[in-house]
Amino acid sequence: MAERTCIVTRRTGEPDGLIRFVVGPDMSVVPDLKRKLPGRGCWVSAARAHVDEAARKNLFRRAFKADVKVDPELGMRVDALMVAATLGTLGLARKAGLVALGAAKVESAVRSGKAIAVLHAHEASSDGIRKIAQARRATVHAGGPDIPGYGLFSESELGLALGGTNVIHAAVLGGDAGKAVLKRMVALDRYRGGSPDDRRAVTGFADRDGALKDTE
């Protein structure tokens, strides 16, 4: 489709702000996050609420003009695919030496301005998060970057992706692999409802760095 229009909101948008869906061989609706699957596609704004609404109202049937099958858990399925993609990219960044692990190393990466994003496991203590948040604020106060923080994954998910145990805090550093992780984290955060403050921080980082395209 030359014009990408969300079948829920009826608003047009850039590809990074939408999720493409196609019809599989069994007539089921399939998410196409990489936008590479063959066939005619339709688009839904990249937010869980909109994907859930499209599935609930079966708006795909009208979009594809066919009696397609829609998984009632399509929104959850998309979330799982985005999680897998983000963690896979995070693992590649770790292998490239662009991820710092542990509260002390994360705080150091934040204060030095080397971090472009911070991750806290769901199990992280409020005290640990607070200390790193203080470092983030101090970095901004000193004229450094406004580094976003995310709580997107469990300890086990982070440990599996990063090849360790007891992974509670992590910092993503610069470099192409690090920027790829940040882009996927922004997308996942937005899909789940997101944090406007963190989105503004990422936009600010992109403006300074010139290497990330804002997808707002």
Side-chain angles (χ1 to χ4, degrees), residues 87 90-91 93-94 99-101 119 157-164 167 169-170:
L87 291 174
L90 184 63
R94 171 63 169 166
V99 178
L101 300 180
L119 272 169
E157 287 175 320
L158 288 176
L160 186 62
L162 297 172
V167 178
H169 304 285

Side-chain angles (χ1 to χ4, degrees), residues 60-82:
F60 296 102
R61 180 178 300 171
R62 181 177 63 189
F64 288 115
K65 297 181 173 60
D67 189 18
V68 296
K69 295 182 288 186
V70 183
D71 183 350
E73 300 297 332
L74 185 62
M76 184 180 298
R77 182 179 171 191
V78 171
D79 186 283
L81 290 172
M82 294 180 75

Side-chain angles (χ1 to χ4, degrees), residues 26-49:
D26 62 350
M27 294 303 292
S28 64
V29 174
V30 179
D32 179 20
L33 299 187
K34 294 183 178 180
R35 303 187 289 274
K36 293 182 177 180
L37 294 178
R40 177 173 175 267
C42 73
W43 302 82
V44 178
S45 297
R48 171 73 183 268

Side-chain angles (χ1 to χ4, degrees), residues 197-210:
D197 288 340
D198 281 351
R199 290 205 294 271
R200 283 196 292 271
V202 171
T203 302
F205 171 81
D207 290 343
R208 286 188 298 272
D209 185 81

Side-chain angles (χ1 to χ4, degrees), residues 33-34 81-82 84-90 152-153 178-190 212:
L33 299 187
K34 294 183 178 180
L81 290 172
M82 294 180 75
T86 305
L87 291 174
T89 307
L90 184 63
L152 299 170
F153 309 111
K179 292 165 190 170
V181 174
L182 177 56
K183 186 173 183 179
R184 289 191 183 277
M185 289 198 300
V186 171
L188 179 58
D189 184 56
R190 287 179 176 176
L212 270 175

